[in-house]
Amino acid sequence: MEINAMNPEDHIQHMLQSIIEQTQSIIKDSSKQSFGSLEYFLGHILEYRDGQQYMSNEWHIRTPRWLGEYGNTPEEEELLSDIYRVQAYIAEKLKGG
């Protein structure tokens, strides 16, 4: 399925799946982590996706406090970027901007 042809909910699911896979990849390779484990975040993002919490008003993705701080690995920076991207997409498509 072409991404541009997806409805917003499918697109969000696709973006969240990508974030989940990135997080799992970082967890598996400790050299890709800086301050701590992303395991708590992984549990949260799985629950967020499976419960379709982005459909409710409680749609904020709880990222670890240290993610985005000085000293993150390139993989963590990319993950944070993707989290911001999906949050912006949700705000625009489901929450009316």
Side-chain angles (χ1 to χ4, degrees), residues 8-9 12 48 52-57 59 88-97:
E9 191 175 337
I12 291 165
Y48 181 85
Q52 295 183 329
Q53 293 174 7
Y54 50 85
M55 298 296 284
S56 76
N57 288 330
W59 60 274
Y89 183 84
I90 290 168
E92 178 187 332
K93 297 294 184 183
L94 299 183
K95 309 299 175 188

Side-chain angles (χ1 to χ4, degrees), residues 32-76:
K32 294 180 180 179
Q33 290 190 62
S34 56
F35 293 106
S37 173
L38 286 168
E39 289 170 1
Y40 169 81
F41 171 71
L42 179 60
H44 162 68
I45 199 76
L46 287 167
E47 181 182 314
Y48 181 85
R49 180 201 61 190
D50 295 346
Q52 295 183 329
Q53 293 174 7
Y54 50 85
M55 298 296 284
S56 76
N57 288 330
E58 296 298 316
W59 60 274
H60 186 72
I61 297 173
R62 293 185 306 271
T63 56
R65 194 169 61 247
W66 52 264
L67 195 59
E69 297 292 322
Y70 176 77
N72 285 161
T73 64
E75 291 83 3
E76 289 168 335

